[in-house]
Amino acid sequence: MHLERMDKILASRTQYSRKDAKKLIWQGRVQHNGHRAASPDAKVDLDADTLELDGKPLLLRKHLYLMMNKPAGVLSAARDPKQPTVLDLVPEEYRRSGLFPAGRLDKDTEGFVLVTDDGDFAHRILSPKRHVPKTYRAKIDGPLTEQMIKGFAEGVTLEDGVLCRPAQLLVLEEGEQPLCQVVLTQGMYHQVKRMFLAFDRRVLWLKRTAIGGLLLDEALKPGETREILDKEIKMLLGKI
Ligand code: URA
């Protein structure tokens, strides 16, 4: 059982302030377990109760975990005054205070961004000490050699002298602009691009396809989001 005050829950699960949340309750626009809610200080059980605002159910779960397929051109920051961010793409039903992207992709990188309001969880996924693998697909501007595969496996030295942890490079499609898979267990700025640059190659297209053992859902079109299921969260945390 997780009990919380009704006005606090309303304010955190909607765009309304705590003051406005109280007004909504007094105005009779909130339903608690199917009945008109009467008092902002009533306690709501996040695990068992239902709460509706103007007839629309609110997601009561203490924390929310979202899988987004980020399109290119969108920032993986919380808010930006000028450019669209992943939070702007979160569907209405999932909006609540405290959401943020757990980890960053470059503006031109596509794919899996995990959006949550659970700081401890994000820390576990991102902590440099835990080495949670992140998997990427990349299109490269020139052939991939055995020397590069070996170099990735041994640890690439970046242009600033930093030595990367060993990474997996797998060629998926050969050719002038080959397609490959890269698995990293750390997350430095522009890391995939800089690792290829160390071999005089440029990344033409980059997409994150998995975080730990959790694969980006292929049913998600660019810009779409779905909730990550409890069993998927457990699976992710169980392995780190
Ligand atoms: N590596 C990069 O170069 N860019 C990303 O967005 C993620 C990993």
Side-chain angles (χ1 to χ4, degrees), residues 104-106 109 136 184 188-194 206:
R104 291 189 171 214
L105 292 180
D106 297 337
T109 303
Y136 296 87
L184 302 185
M188 287 188 283
Y189 184 61
H190 292 334
Q191 188 169 343
V192 174
K193 292 171 185 164
R194 288 160 72 209
L206 188 62

Side-chain angles (χ1 to χ4, degrees), residues 208-222:
R208 183 156 68 193
T209 55
I211 297 177
L214 188 55
L215 304 186
L216 176 66
D217 192 331
E218 286 183 2
L220 289 177
K221 298 194 186 77

Side-chain angles (χ1 to χ4, degrees), residues 158-238:
L158 301 178
E159 78 291 351
D160 56 2
V162 170
L163 174 67
C164 298
R165 286 174 54 79
Q168 189 199 59
L169 170 60
L170 193 71
V171 182
L172 302 174
E173 280 171 31
E174 309 219 17
E176 298 274 291
Q177 295 186 346
L179 184 69
C180 62
Q181 176 175 286
V182 178
V183 183
L184 302 185
T185 54
Q186 60 187 151
M188 287 188 283
Y189 184 61
H190 292 334
Q191 188 169 343
V192 174
K193 292 171 185 164
R194 288 160 72 209
M195 284 167 74
F196 279 107
L197 215 49
F199 293 92
D200 196 25
R201 294 285 186 281
R202 269 134 299 266
V203 173
L204 301 173
W205 170 82
L206 188 62
K207 178 176 183 174
R208 183 156 68 193
T209 55
I211 297 177
L214 188 55
L215 304 186
L216 176 66
D217 192 331
E218 286 183 2
L220 289 177
K221 298 194 186 77
E224 286 186 346
T225 300
R226 77 150 165 88
E227 215 176 326
I228 299 176
L229 310 175
D230 282 344
K231 63 176 184 194
E232 293 174 321
I233 293 291
K234 284 203 185 100
M235 186 269 288
L236 203 54
L237 290 178

Side-chain angles (χ1 to χ4, degrees), residues 92-133:
E92 189 75 46
E93 72 259 37
Y94 296 132
R95 294 199 179 183
R96 56 163 73 184
S97 62
L99 284 179
F100 63 95
R104 291 189 171 214
L105 292 180
D106 297 337
K107 186 177 170 188
D108 60 355
T109 303
E110 301 173 19
F112 193 167
V113 174
L114 206 155
V115 178
T116 184
D117 58 350
D118 184 346
D120 289 342
F121 171 80
H123 179 73
R124 287 180 72 173
I125 297 295
L126 300 174
S127 164
K129 290 194 194 123
R130 295 194 190 254
H131 309 307
V132 175

